[in-house]
Amino acid sequence: MSLRVFLTSRSDTLIVEAFDSLKDKGITYRGLSLQEEFYEETKEDIATFLKVSFADIKKKKRIPNVPWPDPKDLDTLLALAVKPRPLFIYAATLCRFVDETRTKNPVKQLQIWLKQCDHSSPQLNQVYVPIFQDLLGTDEKREDSDALDSDDKLQLLQILGTIILLATPLPVPALAALLDKDEFSVDHWIRNLHAVLNIPSSREAPVEILHKSFSDFLLGEEGTGVAEFRVNAAEAHAMLAS
């Protein structure tokens, strides 16, 4: 009997090494990098997603019937989403950021994102830095910047560090109890992070990250992350243990 097994995974070093060791045992396999083999198809999919998502936001938010986003801006966003490799989470996070809450102007949110675009920075930085700069008020280019004090920033990073490092995700009441904080403080921070967290309507459902790349960014893995927004895993584990 001929048996074939199909596995999908991120390109993790340990997984690649494990498969390489199979060759010594006479086991054959074929590796397929989807983002390389189907680059053009993925680029087209992301372009379609951006166009449809922005059209939905425009309709829902009743943005005036003018070209929005500007075609040149849309081309810029698409280029950032697919270089050096197609990254669907870039497009998905961008759209959640623009359409994040009822109180924020989506046109302004897009301008904030575009202002932070930097072709020279790592892709994950391009995804997550605008979100943190908007939340923490650390963008010096913005005249309305209202930077958080050190205590608030520490509290935010403690909450996020807990969410990304817990083996089993917890709901808000349990997070608050574990961190010895009131539920209002935890709610206050996470309700502004819909772009990166899955925040359920039920108080009993756990709060989870939307994509593994967010924890990679916070932990500074794979050459990503910014020191200002970094979570020290050892310190976070020690804090949780205590």
Side-chain angles (χ1 to χ4, degrees):
M1 180 178 67
S2 178
L3 179 64
R4 294 183 179 182
V5 179
F6 178 73
L7 299 174
T8 63
S9 169
R10 306 174 80 214
S11 183
D12 184 271
T13 302
L14 292 177
I15 294 175
V16 173
E17 291 176 350
F19 272 93
D20 286 342
S21 68
L22 295 178
K23 295 177 182 179
D24 299 332
K25 302 176 182 178
I27 300 175
T28 60
Y29 73 92
R30 180 191 175 196
L32 182 65
S33 177
L34 298 181
Q35 68 267 23
E36 295 176 2
E37 297 284 345
F38 301 100
Y39 177 87
E40 290 301 326
E41 291 89 339
T42 305
K43 180 178 178 180
E44 291 178 9
D45 288 343
I46 292 176
T48 300
F49 174 83
L50 286 172
K51 291 177 182 177
V52 172
S53 297
F54 278 118
D56 288 344
I57 295 171
K58 182 177 180 180
K59 181 179 180 180
K60 183 171 60 176
K61 298 292 188 178
R62 299 179 180 179
I63 297 172
N65 190 25
V66 296
W68 183 83
D70 183 280
K72 292 183 179 179
D73 290 339
L74 197 57
D75 289 342
T76 297
L77 295 170
L78 177 60
L80 290 168
V82 299
K83 294 179 181 179
R85 65 186 189 279
L87 202 61
F88 181 80
I89 190 62
Y90 182 103
T93 304
L94 160 64
C95 292
R96 281 192 295 268
F97 178 77
V98 173
D99 188 28
E100 191 174 40
T101 67
R102 296 179 180 179
T103 59
K104 293 187 177 181
N105 182 338
V107 176
K108 184 178 180 180
Q109 290 295 96
L110 180 58
Q111 291 173 346
I112 292 172
W113 187 284
L114 286 166
K115 189 181 294 185
Q116 305 306 317
C117 288
D118 182 358
H119 290 266
S120 64
S121 67
Q123 244 179 334
L124 290 190
N125 286 15
Q126 296 174 32
V127 175
Y128 297 117
V129 167
I131 294 171
F132 274 92
Q133 289 185 330
D134 183 49
L135 181 64
L136 302 181
T138 55
D139 180 9
E140 296 179 355
K141 296 179 182 179
R142 294 177 56 196
E143 295 179 357
D144 58 345
S145 176
D146 183 20
L148 299 178
D149 61 36
S150 58
D151 289 338
D152 283 342
K153 182 179 175 182
L154 176 62
Q155 186 177 80
L156 171 61
L157 292 179
Q158 281 183 340
I159 293 171
L160 286 175
T162 301
I163 292 172
I164 66 174
L165 291 173
L166 283 175
T168 303
L170 294 176
V172 168
L175 283 172
L178 177 62
L179 294 170
D180 194 24
K181 301 182 185 298
D182 58 89
E183 291 185 28
F184 172 79
S185 295
V186 178
D187 270 328
H188 169 73
W189 291 117
I190 66 172
R191 68 168 173 257
N192 292 310
L193 290 166
H194 283 274
V196 292
L197 298 178
N198 177 27
I199 305 171
S201 56
S202 170
R203 301 290 291 178
E204 304 305 316
V207 177
E208 302 178 78
I209 60 174
L210 289 168
H211 197 268
K212 175 65 168 57
S213 60
F214 183 52
S215 64
D216 291 345
F217 171 78
L218 287 176
L219 296 172
E221 296 180 2
E222 300 180 3
T224 66
V226 176
E228 186 178 7
F229 313 132
R230 184 163 293 166
V231 170
N232 184 302
E235 292 179 359
H237 280 302
M239 180 269 295
L240 289 172
S242 66

PDB file of all heavy atoms in Angstrom, residues 49-61:
ATOM      1  N   PHE A  49      -8.756  41.138  -1.940  1.00  0.00           N
ATOM      2  CA  PHE A  49      -9.182  41.302  -0.539  1.00  0.00           C
ATOM      3  C   PHE A  49      -9.162  42.761  -0.123  1.00  0.00           C
ATOM      4  O   PHE A  49     -10.100  43.257   0.506  1.00  0.00           O
ATOM      5  CB  PHE A  49      -8.270  40.476   0.375  1.00  0.00           C
ATOM      6  CG  PHE A  49      -8.532  40.684   1.835  1.00  0.00           C
ATOM      7  CD1 PHE A  49      -9.553  39.997   2.478  1.00  0.00           C
ATOM      8  CD2 PHE A  49      -7.774  41.584   2.579  1.00  0.00           C
ATOM      9  CE1 PHE A  49      -9.812  40.198   3.833  1.00  0.00           C
ATOM     10  CE2 PHE A  49      -8.025  41.792   3.923  1.00  0.00           C
ATOM     11  CZ  PHE A  49      -9.046  41.093   4.558  1.00  0.00           C
ATOM     12  N   LEU A  50      -8.095  43.478  -0.469  1.00  0.00           N
ATOM     13  CA  LEU A  50      -7.988  44.891  -0.096  1.00  0.00           C
ATOM     14  C   LEU A  50      -9.096  45.717  -0.747  1.00  0.00           C
ATOM     15  O   LEU A  50      -9.733  46.548  -0.092  1.00  0.00           O
ATOM     16  CB  LEU A  50      -6.616  45.441  -0.498  1.00  0.00           C
ATOM     17  CG  LEU A  50      -5.419  44.997   0.356  1.00  0.00           C
ATOM     18  CD1 LEU A  50      -4.111  45.460  -0.274  1.00  0.00           C
ATOM     19  CD2 LEU A  50      -5.539  45.518   1.776  1.00  0.00           C
ATOM     20  N   LYS A  51      -9.334  45.505  -2.032  1.00  0.00           N
ATOM     21  CA  LYS A  51     -10.362  46.274  -2.742  1.00  0.00           C
ATOM     22  C   LYS A  51     -11.744  46.032  -2.149  1.00  0.00           C
ATOM     23  O   LYS A  51     -12.508  46.974  -1.898  1.00  0.00           O
ATOM     24  CB  LYS A  51     -10.346  45.923  -4.228  1.00  0.00           C
ATOM     25  CG  LYS A  51      -9.114  46.409  -4.965  1.00  0.00           C
ATOM     26  CD  LYS A  51      -9.127  45.956  -6.425  1.00  0.00           C
ATOM     27  CE  LYS A  51      -7.866  46.398  -7.159  1.00  0.00           C
ATOM     28  NZ  LYS A  51      -7.837  45.908  -8.570  1.00  0.00           N
ATOM     29  N   VAL A  52     -12.076  44.784  -1.915  1.00  0.00           N
ATOM     30  CA  VAL A  52     -13.401  44.443  -1.372  1.00  0.00           C
ATOM     31  C   VAL A  52     -13.546  44.948   0.060  1.00  0.00           C
ATOM     32  O   VAL A  52     -14.584  45.508   0.436  1.00  0.00           O
ATOM     33  CB  VAL A  52     -13.623  42.915  -1.431  1.00  0.00           C
ATOM     34  CG1 VAL A  52     -14.905  42.531  -0.681  1.00  0.00           C
ATOM     35  CG2 VAL A  52     -13.699  42.446  -2.879  1.00  0.00           C
ATOM     36  N   SER A  53     -12.508  44.787   0.868  1.00  0.00           N
ATOM     37  CA  SER A  53     -12.569  45.209   2.268  1.00  0.00           C
ATOM     38  C   SER A  53     -12.731  46.725   2.387  1.00  0.00           C
ATOM     39  O   SER A  53     -13.541  47.216   3.169  1.00  0.00           O
ATOM     40  CB  SER A  53     -11.317  44.756   3.017  1.00  0.00           C
ATOM     41  OG  SER A  53     -11.227  43.355   3.053  1.00  0.00           O
ATOM     42  N   PHE A  54     -11.961  47.475   1.615  1.00  0.00           N
ATOM     43  CA  PHE A  54     -12.085  48.932   1.670  1.00  0.00           C
ATOM     44  C   PHE A  54     -13.431  49.400   1.129  1.00  0.00           C
ATOM     45  O   PHE A  54     -13.993  50.393   1.610  1.00  0.00           O
ATOM     46  CB  PHE A  54     -10.937  49.597   0.910  1.00  0.00           C
ATOM     47  CG  PHE A  54      -9.670  49.705   1.696  1.00  0.00           C
ATOM     48  CD1 PHE A  54      -8.507  49.067   1.284  1.00  0.00           C
ATOM     49  CD2 PHE A  54      -9.627  50.442   2.879  1.00  0.00           C
ATOM     50  CE1 PHE A  54      -7.337  49.169   2.021  1.00  0.00           C
ATOM     51  CE2 PHE A  54      -8.471  50.554   3.621  1.00  0.00           C
ATOM     52  CZ  PHE A  54      -7.315  49.910   3.190  1.00  0.00           C
ATOM     53  N   ALA A  55     -13.965  48.703   0.129  1.00  0.00           N
ATOM     54  CA  ALA A  55     -15.298  49.047  -0.377  1.00  0.00           C
ATOM     55  C   ALA A  55     -16.353  48.829   0.706  1.00  0.00           C
ATOM     56  O   ALA A  55     -17.277  49.648   0.868  1.00  0.00           O
ATOM     57  CB  ALA A  55     -15.625  48.206  -1.610  1.00  0.00           C
ATOM     58  N   ASP A  56     -16.214  47.758   1.464  1.00  0.00           N
ATOM     59  CA  ASP A  56     -17.152  47.481   2.564  1.00  0.00           C
ATOM     60  C   ASP A  56     -17.036  48.540   3.655  1.00  0.00           C
ATOM     61  O   ASP A  56     -18.047  49.001   4.199  1.00  0.00           O
ATOM     62  CB  ASP A  56     -16.880  46.096   3.153  1.00  0.00           C
ATOM     63  CG  ASP A  56     -17.315  44.973   2.224  1.00  0.00           C
ATOM     64  OD1 ASP A  56     -18.096  45.254   1.286  1.00  0.00           O
ATOM     65  OD2 ASP A  56     -16.865  43.821   2.426  1.00  0.00           O
ATOM     66  N   ILE A  57     -15.798  48.918   3.998  1.00  0.00           N
ATOM     67  CA  ILE A  57     -15.583  49.947   5.023  1.00  0.00           C
ATOM     68  C   ILE A  57     -16.178  51.272   4.561  1.00  0.00           C
ATOM     69  O   ILE A  57     -16.837  51.979   5.334  1.00  0.00           O
ATOM     70  CB  ILE A  57     -14.077  50.105   5.326  1.00  0.00           C
ATOM     71  CG1 ILE A  57     -13.516  48.827   5.961  1.00  0.00           C
ATOM     72  CG2 ILE A  57     -13.844  51.299   6.259  1.00  0.00           C
ATOM     73  CD1 ILE A  57     -12.007  48.819   6.093  1.00  0.00           C
ATOM     74  N   LYS A  58     -15.945  51.605   3.307  1.00  0.00           N
ATOM     75  CA  LYS A  58     -16.458  52.861   2.749  1.00  0.00           C
ATOM     76  C   LYS A  58     -17.975  52.916   2.828  1.00  0.00           C
ATOM     77  O   LYS A  58     -18.561  53.946   3.208  1.00  0.00           O
ATOM     78  CB  LYS A  58     -15.999  53.000   1.297  1.00  0.00           C
ATOM     79  CG  LYS A  58     -16.441  54.293   0.623  1.00  0.00           C
ATOM     80  CD  LYS A  58     -15.879  54.386  -0.788  1.00  0.00           C
ATOM     81  CE  LYS A  58     -16.309  55.675  -1.463  1.00  0.00           C
ATOM     82  NZ  LYS A  58     -15.761  55.788  -2.843  1.00  0.00           N
ATOM     83  N   LYS A  59     -18.625  51.804   2.507  1.00  0.00           N
ATOM     84  CA  LYS A  59     -20.087  51.749   2.559  1.00  0.00           C
ATOM     85  C   LYS A  59     -20.593  51.796   3.992  1.00  0.00           C
ATOM     86  O   LYS A  59     -21.534  52.538   4.309  1.00  0.00           O
ATOM     87  CB  LYS A  59     -20.578  50.475   1.866  1.00  0.00           C
ATOM     88  CG  LYS A  59     -22.089  50.331   1.847  1.00  0.00           C
ATOM     89  CD  LYS A  59     -22.502  49.049   1.119  1.00  0.00           C
ATOM     90  CE  LYS A  59     -24.010  48.898   1.105  1.00  0.00           C
ATOM     91  NZ  LYS A  59     -24.424  47.643   0.403  1.00  0.00           N
ATOM     92  N   LYS A  60     -19.983  51.012   4.851  1.00  0.00           N
ATOM     93  CA  LYS A  60     -20.427  50.926   6.247  1.00  0.00           C
ATOM     94  C   LYS A  60     -20.224  52.230   7.000  1.00  0.00           C
ATOM     95  O   LYS A  60     -21.068  52.641   7.800  1.00  0.00           O
ATOM     96  CB  LYS A  60     -19.678  49.785   6.950  1.00  0.00           C
ATOM     97  CG  LYS A  60     -20.098  49.557   8.389  1.00  0.00           C
ATOM     98  CD  LYS A  60     -19.474  48.287   8.941  1.00  0.00           C
ATOM     99  CE  LYS A  60     -17.977  48.317   8.922  1.00  0.00           C
ATOM    100  NZ  LYS A  60     -17.354  47.125   9.541  1.00  0.00           N
ATOM    101  N   LYS A  61     -19.088  52.900   6.739  1.00  0.00           N
ATOM    102  CA  LYS A  61     -18.763  54.140   7.441  1.00  0.00           C
ATOM    103  C   LYS A  61     -19.307  55.385   6.738  1.00  0.00           C
ATOM    104  O   LYS A  61     -19.093  56.494   7.198  1.00  0.00           O
ATOM    105  CB  LYS A  61     -17.245  54.270   7.582  1.00  0.00           C
ATOM    106  CG  LYS A  61     -16.602  53.160   8.394  1.00  0.00           C
ATOM    107  CD  LYS A  61     -16.993  53.211   9.863  1.00  0.00           C
ATOM    108  CE  LYS A  61     -16.186  52.209  10.673  1.00  0.00           C
ATOM    109  NZ  LYS A  61     -16.490  52.257  12.119  1.00  0.00           N
TER     110      LYS A  61
END
